[in-house]
Amino acid sequence: MARLTDTGDDPYLWLEELDGTNAARWVRSRNAEAVATLTPGEAFAGLRAEIREVLDAEDRIPYPGWRGDDFYYGFWRDRAHPRGIWRRTTLDQYRRPEPEWDVLLDVDALAAEEGENWIWSTVAVLRPGYERCLVSLSRGGADAVVVREFDLGRREFVADGFTLPEAKSSVCWIDVDTIYVATDFAPGSLTASGYPRVVKRWRRGIALAEATTVHEARTDDIAVYASHDPTPGFERDFVGRFLDFYRSENYLLTEAGELTRISVPEDARWHVHRDWLLIRLRSAWVAGGITYPPGALLATRFDAFLTGDREMTVLFRPDDRTALSYYSWTRNHLILGTLADVRSRLEVLTPGETGWQREPLAGVPELDHSRIVATDPEHSDAYLLASEGFLQPATLRLGQIGGAVEILKREPAMFAAEGLTVRQFFATSADGTRVPYFVVGDPDAPGGPTLLTGYGGYEHSLVPQYGGVIGRGWLARGGTYAVANIRGGGEYGPEWHRAALRENRPRAFEDFAAVAADLVRRGITTPAQLGIEGGSNGGLLMGVMLTRYPSLFGAVVAQVPVLDMRRYHRLLAGASWMAEYGDPDREADWAYLRDYSPYHNIHGDRSCPPVLLITSTRDDRVHPGHARKMAARLRDHGHEVSYYENVDGGHGAAANNEQRAFLWALTLEFLWRKLSTPQPGSAVPPRQHTHTGDRWQEPVAEGR
């Protein structure tokens, strides 16, 4: 049997060849097996149709974005427009049940006309003026994009306009005839992570090769950047280097080309709004003789800070239960979004002559999870607020700080929620840490099929949200759904994240295992009926559960997963993740990575639950070789593994709703089949009743 060695010998390396003949043949065979096994019959077809109906629903909320010109912009996909349309409308029209939309770009028509597999990526609109934009389109959903200048008035691409070939580019307007561009200029212009190392100022009519270099990063940095703030009276330019995933070196760039260092901590996040500088700390910082804690948000005057003034106002200070999630400026106010035991809170802060005043944000429902969708920090104090829950469809409100709040849109229910509740519990991890998790389902039903998901990385928080796909495809079948808020995420701020960094990664795995055990202890499910699903870094989590905690689960699904911790930093964007995981080329780092690397911990003499691996050929962030090689090793060791690789989709694994519906149906059908029939010896334990001190329950209104 093929063996792996610590020196890097890997008999499955041929599966890393994206378009290699043998690799492509292997992928086709595995896909055919998965399709033949999981898709025949009415159950799969019906599930797929139900999910597609949710994804393409005409009455779902068309979430808008504001760009400063009073229009409501949005990108929309449905059955008639699988690739999507970019469109805009006015507030008066948006208030109507069926607004009249002005279609700016039809990606389906463009793809048909040009014979390209175009997938919408992003757009940068010129400010002020709003007459031009830079549209980024990818082939098949990859991170690499083609950039093309578009005329919003004429609804057409600009002949001889700013255009970039396919690359992992970033662009920013300076004025109508000038942009910042970071792209693959020539050999040597990319970092080891595959992102731009050089950023230039490019004037219209000048060849890209002759554009003026304004800043450079090092090869071992992640990327370089340049940005322009067009706020009238506060026009500024910034450049910098992303040293790793969490650290950066930043400068103010003057018109003369001089650089002034913005001396915030390297691992802090910062933002300039008019004359204010906000500093969001990831680690403790001593400034002006005062020590500020990790997770704090500080405010100071930007110009004064550049000259050495370190007088700060603490706008947010975390505690054991509460962390800053995000902030959003309006023209004159700052909205803070915080999480208290993973429940959202929103408040408004207003700077004045006597300091900062604060009050709750108006229009925020008490029990739903609420988030700011959009603000217009250059022109107004308006905000768009979305509120939802696991069982509560979203409501979109328009508010004005200090003024009225109105409901703009309500999303319809996608599944029947009668008899279902949301409960929050806390599991105890191996080191005694309390780990929160949510459970959605019928609290009075006997233990049964349960789907648990988690992520636990990059300071990313998993918060309550309404999921029509899970509701229709899992809850409606009688399943229970659970979300684990494990360490490595941002639910309790940077310290919660740091607790699972690098050599401490196992804390995240122990947290997830503790949640799984707690679900069983409470009688909600059994190991044989507990399935888990996660993607990307969450796919790494799934791989560790499969290989380190196999007895806790009945089935595992890992999507676009990171699994080979020996070579992840050599594949595509993997080098940019070393601040999160460690450097496998360092002996000390490889010692702990080797201990949990799923790819290196497959054994034929140790049973594993059945697993489904899903990835995309066009994923240029997490290499599909991770999933390919894992599937091959599992097969060779005699384990039950299903594998499906979508050609399109990039890191999202799907490029349109048809593909998303298929992949979600594949996932849920696989899990339901494996979990709905308990195995011998897995009797359902009685549900345990606990005191209310360790759980929170969301009430469900009648008729919801």
Side-chain angles (χ1 to χ4, degrees):
M1 182 175 294
R3 297 178 64 248
L4 296 179
T5 68
D6 283 355
T7 59
D9 294 336
D10 186 346
Y12 303 96
L13 274 180
W14 58 276
L15 285 170
E16 292 181 5
E17 300 175 14
L18 286 179
D19 301 314
T21 302
N22 291 335
R25 183 183 302 115
W26 183 92
V27 168
R28 287 194 297 270
S29 296
R30 301 292 80 73
N31 282 359
E33 291 171 357
V35 170
T37 302
L38 296 173
T39 66
E42 296 181 1
F44 179 86
L47 177 60
R48 182 180 182 180
E50 292 267 0
I51 294 173
R52 181 73 186 274
E53 182 179 314
V54 170
L55 296 174
D56 284 336
E58 294 287 343
D59 51 1
R60 69 190 191 276
I61 293 178
Y63 285 102
W66 289 341
R67 302 188 180 277
D69 56 356
D70 295 328
F71 285 108
Y72 281 53
Y73 288 82
F75 190 78
W76 179 262
R77 290 187 179 98
D78 58 22
R79 193 172 293 270
H81 307 93
R83 296 181 187 273
I85 51 177
W86 186 41
R87 60 189 189 174
R88 69 184 183 187
T89 190
T90 64
L91 172 57
D92 287 342
Q93 283 290 331
Y94 190 81
R95 285 188 173 109
R96 300 181 182 184
E98 297 183 7
E100 292 182 7
W101 291 93
D102 177 12
V103 176
L104 303 172
L105 181 62
D106 185 327
V107 181
D108 293 274
L110 179 68
E113 177 185 346
E114 299 183 348
E116 289 276 11
N117 185 18
W118 290 132
I119 303 298
W120 177 266
S121 181
T122 59
V123 62
V125 176
L126 175 66
R127 296 170 37 229
Y130 311 101
E131 71 270 19
R132 295 287 177 89
C133 62
L134 298 169
V135 173
S136 296
L137 300 166
S138 82
R139 292 184 172 96
D143 285 351
V145 296
V146 171
V147 180
R148 298 162 68 175
E149 186 177 0
F150 188 80
D151 189 312
L152 283 167
R154 296 178 178 272
R155 311 293 191 270
E156 63 185 19
F157 288 104
V158 178
D160 300 323
F162 292 115
T163 303
L164 294 173
E166 186 175 55
K168 292 184 177 180
S169 304
S170 63
V171 292
C172 176
W173 287 102
I174 301 174
D175 57 45
V176 69
D177 290 317
T178 319
I179 67 172
Y180 285 125
V181 54
T183 190
D184 186 357
F185 294 103
S189 67
L190 299 180
T191 66
S193 299
Y195 295 104
R197 191 185 63 78
V198 179
V199 61
K200 299 185 178 186
R201 183 187 296 109
W202 188 17
R203 290 193 59 80
R204 190 180 303 278
I206 302 297
L208 179 61
E210 298 175 7
T212 303
T213 297
V214 296
H215 205 57
E216 295 189 32
R218 298 171 182 168
T219 302
D220 58 353
D221 292 339
I222 290 184
V224 71
Y225 79 89
S227 64
H228 175 72
D229 181 354
T231 304
F234 298 92
E235 295 88 348
R236 299 184 181 101
D237 293 86
F238 303 99
V239 297
R241 302 158 46 211
F242 293 110
L243 309 179
D244 61 29
F245 211 90
Y246 304 106
R247 299 183 305 121
S248 62
E249 181 183 276
N250 311 282
Y251 297 89
L252 176 70
L253 176 65
T254 68
E255 291 186 8
E258 298 173 345
L259 298 178
T260 300
R261 181 74 180 266
I262 303 171
S263 298
V264 300
E266 285 185 345
D267 66 346
R269 285 166 282 189
W270 59 277
H271 178 77
V272 177
H273 172 71
R274 306 181 77 82
D275 56 354
W276 288 105
L277 169 66
L278 297 187
I279 305 170
R280 184 176 178 183
L281 298 179
R282 280 197 174 99
S283 56
W285 184 38
V286 179
I290 300 174
T291 300
Y292 300 100
L297 181 66
L298 313 177
T300 187
R301 300 285 183 175
F302 180 64
D303 290 342
F305 184 84
L306 291 184
T307 60
D309 187 350
R310 292 299 179 265
E311 183 179 347
M312 309 278 179
T313 299
V314 179
L315 301 184
F316 175 83
R317 187 184 297 272
D319 59 35
D320 291 342
R321 296 179 55 249
T322 309
L324 178 64
S325 181
Y326 62 91
Y327 57 81
S328 298
W329 279 104
T330 68
R331 173 62 177 78
N332 300 294
H333 307 272
L334 181 68
I335 302 174
L336 294 189
T338 61
L339 292 177
D341 283 334
V342 205
R343 283 171 275 171
S344 64
R345 301 288 185 269
L346 290 165
E347 59 181 344
V348 179
L349 278 66
T350 305
E353 293 183 0
T354 59
W356 291 73
Q357 306 299 317
R358 65 181 65 217
E359 60 183 351
L361 181 68
V364 180
E366 181 181 357
L367 297 177
D368 293 344
H369 179 82
S370 296
R371 59 185 173 88
I372 297 298
V373 173
T375 60
D376 185 3
E378 192 171 316
H379 299 104
S380 79
D381 290 321
Y383 59 90
L384 287 173
L385 174 74
S387 302
E388 61 188 319
F390 285 112
L391 299 174
Q392 176 62 52
T395 297
L396 182 66
R397 293 172 171 87
L398 170 63
Q400 186 81 21
I401 293 178
V405 179
E406 64 172 300
I407 292 177
L408 290 179
K409 302 286 182 185
R410 289 186 187 274
E411 198 159 62
M414 298 293 182
F415 59 95
E418 290 78 7
L420 306 181
T421 64
V422 178
R423 295 170 290 167
Q424 185 184 41
F425 298 105
F426 290 81
T428 301
S429 194
D431 64 356
T433 300
R434 296 175 74 242
V435 181
Y437 69 97
F438 292 97
V439 176
V440 187
D442 182 352
D444 298 320
T450 298
L451 170 55
L452 171 64
T453 190
Y455 188 77
Y458 298 95
E459 211 172 331
H460 175 67
S461 302
L462 297 185
V463 297
Q465 58 182 345
Y466 188 75
V469 170
I470 292 296
R472 192 81 69 92
W474 191 258
L475 296 175
R477 300 168 89 172
T480 297
Y481 181 60
V483 178
N485 302 112
I486 63 178
R487 281 174 285 184
E491 288 87 347
Y492 291 102
E495 294 290 85
W496 191 249
H497 169 238
R498 187 175 291 109
L501 270 181
R502 293 174 50 85
E503 66 272 15
N504 294 319
R505 202 66 182 186
R507 304 297 85 74
F509 310 144
E510 292 164 0
D511 290 358
F512 196 81
V515 171
D518 205 58
L519 285 165
V520 173
R521 182 182 69 83
R522 295 179 185 276
I524 294 171
T525 190
T526 66
Q529 292 183 290
L530 178 56
I532 55 176
E533 180 274 334
S536 192
N537 173 76
L540 169 61
L541 175 66
M542 298 302 109
V544 174
M545 293 301 110
L546 178 74
T547 54
R548 181 175 280 198
Y549 301 95
S551 64
L552 294 181
F553 309 105
V556 177
V557 177
Q559 304 196 36
V560 291
V562 181
L563 297 166
D564 179 356
M565 303 310 290
R566 183 69 171 131
R567 286 181 49 77
Y568 83 87
H569 64 316
R570 300 183 183 275
L571 299 173
L572 299 174
S576 66
W577 313 328
M578 287 194 288
E580 183 79 11
Y581 302 127
D583 182 353
D585 290 337
R586 294 178 179 173
E587 184 177 349
D589 289 7
W590 174 237
Y592 65 77
L593 290 167
R594 174 65 177 83
D595 192 46
Y596 73 75
S597 176
Y599 184 54
H600 295 82
N601 283 279
I602 298 170
H603 305 283
D605 59 352
R606 186 184 305 169
S607 63
C608 288
V611 58
L612 169 63
L613 298 168
I614 294 175
T615 189
S616 165
T617 310
R618 289 292 294 170
D619 188 347
D620 55 353
R621 193 180 312 172
V622 176
H623 198 293
H626 284 276
R628 291 177 179 182
K629 296 194 302 178
M630 186 76 173
R633 280 209 83 207
L634 286 166
R635 284 170 57 88
D636 286 352
H637 281 79
H639 298 298
E640 182 181 348
V641 56
S642 299
Y643 179 92
Y644 188 83
E645 181 173 317
N646 192 29
V647 175
D648 291 336
H651 194 51
N656 54 52
N657 287 345
E658 180 180 10
Q659 294 176 9
R660 290 184 188 90
F662 177 82
L663 294 181
W664 267 114
L666 205 67
T667 295
L668 297 179
E669 180 65 14
F670 170 83
L671 289 170
W672 193 259
R673 288 188 187 185
K674 301 302 180 183
L675 306 177
S676 59
T677 304
Q679 301 299 311
S682 59
V684 178
R687 290 202 179 255
Q688 297 188 22
H689 298 283
T690 58
H691 60 85
T692 58
D694 68 345
R695 75 176 190 178
W696 167 80
Q697 182 165 318
E698 175 188 312
V700 180
E702 291 186 11
R704 184 179 296 178

